[in-house]
């Protein structure tokens, strides 16, 4: 690969992804976004991924991304040695992490959960202050979600002079599932999400119980890892107490191929979450050509609008609304859904990790003194994001 060599004051520029607070055995979307972005960034400059344990990282589910061309996994303790050879830019993969290796840093701010669902945090005010400190400590803050971009300063009460919106490519290419015939006896509704309280598995189960009580049949599948034993126990106990054992299935953590098969087996996709950064589930549903319904929250509304996605929205706190949306989802044909989302499908084919990385390279060039500060322009729906 003919990787462009960026040099600042004679030293080659390198990016170091600080994975100190990125447990690769448990995180899903955050790690996948950061590492996928870094794989494309490695086409432009040398990328190091700094981890607590190299052996553990290379044995994690992300080993293929970590061993991509241009990527090198190193121990956190070895990062300072890189200063002798490189001009380092540090990438902090989430918003509770301060830079520690370079005064040139970029932080990825994914969501505003610490304000939207502050009840899920043991010490919400402390976490909110940490969120603000981390954003202020970074040279640059980027986000892939329109709602975060437009709302973070107002909701967090911070002023960020270097805040940028970049692309949000699909985390999983589910197009292979679009040609699969879904299982129909009973039809499957899939909720792909880690079991956390704000993901609202319990609310979904209450609505699903009422849907089944009306005499209709369906199988609700949950895919994703556990977040904590107490939260998982709540969900399992609810299922047992309400006689839903035969109608709910836990798939656990799935590989990409297994996840694509889960989409292919499903008749519909649902997300009743109280808080999200965006609507990746809807993007994957469009690619898989599966009808999808989402909580009516700003993050999902803005992200689906950005990608021209047409889907159903519902109140995640209202069991009756969940009953109704199950009925709508399982009566919507894939042909009807495909027609409504032809523009979205075209849109999703236009964005990639390379388009997102190219924007970040503009930012990195400015940070190391090789170009002017990027001027970001986007339309009202954030459909077109351009850097000058």
């Amino acid at each position: 690969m003919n990787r462009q060599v960026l040099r600042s004051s004679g030293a080659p520029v390198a990016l170091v992804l600080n994975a100190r607070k990125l447990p690769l055995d448990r995180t899903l979307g955050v790690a996948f976004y950061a590492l996928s972005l870094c794989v494309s960034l490695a086409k432009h400059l040398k990328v190091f991924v700094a981890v607590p344990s190299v052996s553990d990282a290379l044995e994690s589910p992300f080993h293929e991304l970590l061993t991509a061309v241009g990527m090198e996994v190193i121990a956190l303790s070895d990062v300072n040695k890189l200063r002798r050879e490189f001009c380092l830019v540090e990438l902090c993969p989430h918003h509770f992490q301060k830079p520690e290796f370079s005064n040139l840093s970029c932080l990825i701010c994914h969501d505003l959960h610490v304000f939207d669902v502050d009840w899920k945090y043991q010490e919400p005010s402390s976490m909110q202050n940490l969120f603000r400190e981390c954003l202020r400590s970074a040279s640059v803050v980027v986000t892939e979600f329109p709602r975060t971009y437009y709302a973070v300063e107002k909701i967090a009460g911070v002023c960020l002079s270097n805040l940028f919106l970049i692309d949000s490519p699909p985390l999983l290419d589910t197009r292979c599932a679009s040609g699969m015939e879904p299982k129909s006896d009973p039809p499957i509704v899939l909720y792909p999400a880690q079991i956390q309280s704000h993901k609202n598995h319990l609310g979904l189960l209450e609505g699903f119980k009422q849907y089944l009580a009306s005499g209709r049949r369906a199988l609700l599948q949950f895919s994703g890892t556990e977040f904590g034993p107490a939260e998982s126990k709540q969900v399992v106990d609810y299922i047992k107490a309400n006689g839903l054992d035969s109608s709910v299935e836990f798939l656990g953590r799935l590989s990409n191929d297994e996840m694509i098969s889960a989409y292919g087996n499903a008749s519909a996709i649902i997300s009743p979450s109280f808080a999200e950064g965006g609507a990746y589930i809807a993007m994957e549903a469009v690619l898989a050509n599966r009808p999808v319904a989402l909580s009516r929250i700003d993050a999902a509304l803005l992200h689906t609008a950005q990608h021209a996605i047409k889907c159903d929205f519902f109140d995640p706190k209202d069991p009756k609304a969940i009953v109704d949306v199950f009925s709508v989802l399982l009566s919507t044909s894939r042909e009807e859904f495909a027609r409504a989302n032809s523009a979205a499908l075209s849109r999703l084919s236009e964005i990639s990790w390379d388009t997102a990385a190219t924007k970040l390279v503009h930012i990195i060039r400015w940070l190391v003194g090789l170009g002017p500060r990027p001027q970001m322009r986007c339309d009202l729906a954030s459909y077109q994001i351009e850097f000058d």
Side-chain angles (χ1 to χ4, degrees), residues 185-243:
D185 188 24
I188 296 171
V189 178
L190 174 68
Y191 181 23
Q194 190 177 49
I195 301 176
Q196 295 194 56
S197 53
H198 74 277
K199 296 291 188 178
N200 194 26
H201 289 77
L202 290 176
L204 178 61
L205 286 168
E206 176 61 29
F208 183 55
K209 180 183 72 173
Q210 295 183 25
Y211 176 81
L212 296 178
S214 65
R216 291 167 287 190
R217 298 175 68 242
L219 175 64
L220 181 58
Q221 288 186 336
F222 295 143
S223 69
T225 57
E226 292 186 357
F227 183 74
E231 291 168 315
S232 297
K233 184 177 185 301
Q234 272 190 313
V235 174
V236 171
D237 287 351
Y238 184 95
I239 291 169
K240 291 180 179 178
N242 289 275

Side-chain angles (χ1 to χ4, degrees), residues 24-65:
L24 299 176
D25 59 331
R26 288 186 282 115
T27 55
L28 296 173
V30 171
F32 194 88
Y33 186 90
L35 291 172
S36 297
L37 186 60
C38 283
V39 169
S40 282
L41 285 169
K43 298 175 183 178
H44 302 270
L45 71 167
K46 181 65 179 178
V47 174
F48 295 93
V49 181
V51 297
S53 167
V54 173
S55 59
D56 287 351
L58 294 177
E59 292 174 2
S60 77
F62 296 99
H63 65 276
E64 290 186 10
L65 290 173

Side-chain angles (χ1 to χ4, degrees), residues 43-315:
K43 298 175 183 178
H44 302 270
L45 71 167
K46 181 65 179 178
V47 174
F48 295 93
V49 181
V51 297
S53 167
V54 173
S55 59
D56 287 351
L58 294 177
E59 292 174 2
S60 77
F62 296 99
H63 65 276
E64 290 186 10
L65 290 173
L66 289 167
T67 55
V69 174
M71 304 269 281
E72 185 174 339
V73 182
I74 63 171
L76 284 159
S77 57
D78 290 334
V79 173
N80 286 324
K81 299 176 185 177
L82 300 177
R83 296 177 183 276
R84 304 169 190 165
E85 182 180 354
F86 297 98
C87 171
L88 290 182
V89 176
E90 183 172 354
L91 181 62
C92 300
H94 62 77
H95 41 250
F96 290 125
Q97 186 169 358
K98 296 180 183 179
E100 56 181 303
F101 298 117
S102 175
N103 60 356
L104 304 175
S105 62
C106 178
L107 178 146
I108 303 176
C109 181
H110 295 283
D111 57 58
L112 302 174
H113 288 2
V114 72
F115 299 97
D116 294 337
V117 285
D118 58 351
W119 44 263
K120 69 169 281 191
Y121 298 90
Q122 289 186 346
E123 298 181 1
S125 61
S126 296
M127 293 302 293
Q128 289 168 359
N129 286 334
L130 176 60
F131 180 92
R132 296 184 183 101
E133 291 171 9
C134 291
L135 265 60
R136 290 182 179 128
S137 66
S139 307
V140 167
V141 175
V142 300
T143 181
E144 71 273 39
F145 295 129
R147 191 261 177 158
T148 304
Y149 175 74
Y150 288 112
V152 61
E153 292 176 295
K154 178 180 179 180
I155 290 178
V158 295
C159 181
L160 302 173
S161 57
N162 297 317
L163 173 65
F164 297 94
L165 177 65
I166 62 175
D167 300 286
S168 54
L171 294 182
L172 180 64
D173 186 348
T174 55
R175 283 176 289 187
C176 290
S178 64
M180 296 175 61
E181 191 66 28
K183 294 183 177 179
S184 58
D185 188 24
I188 296 171
V189 178
L190 174 68
Y191 181 23
Q194 190 177 49
I195 301 176
Q196 295 194 56
S197 53
H198 74 277
K199 296 291 188 178
N200 194 26
H201 289 77
L202 290 176
L204 178 61
L205 286 168
E206 176 61 29
F208 183 55
K209 180 183 72 173
Q210 295 183 25
Y211 176 81
L212 296 178
S214 65
R216 291 167 287 190
R217 298 175 68 242
L219 175 64
L220 181 58
Q221 288 186 336
F222 295 143
S223 69
T225 57
E226 292 186 357
F227 183 74
E231 291 168 315
S232 297
K233 184 177 185 301
Q234 272 190 313
V235 174
V236 171
D237 287 351
Y238 184 95
I239 291 169
K240 291 180 179 178
N242 289 275
L244 297 175
D245 305 68
S246 61
S247 298
V248 180
E249 185 176 3
F250 291 90
L251 303 179
R253 181 169 190 159
L254 303 179
S255 68
N256 285 352
D257 288 343
E258 290 169 337
M259 193 71 240
I260 291 169
S261 294
Y263 270 94
N265 290 332
S267 293
I269 315 299
I270 194 168
S271 173
S273 181
F274 292 134
E276 292 293 327
Y280 275 126
I281 286 176
M283 297 167 71
E284 293 168 359
V286 167
L287 291 173
N289 192 25
R290 294 302 190 266
V292 60
L294 309 172
S295 296
R296 190 179 290 106
I297 54 177
D298 287 345
L301 292 168
L302 290 174
H303 200 208
T304 52
Q306 180 188 31
H307 296 297
I309 294 172
K310 306 298 182 184
C311 63
D312 290 288
F313 295 93
F314 61 95
D315 181 354

Side-chain angles (χ1 to χ4, degrees), residues 371-387:
R373 182 185 185 279
Q375 299 300 309
M376 195 195 87
R377 294 182 291 111
C378 64
D379 58 6
L380 188 60
S382 305
Y383 188 91
Q384 296 289 340
I385 307 170
E386 297 178 355
F387 280 29

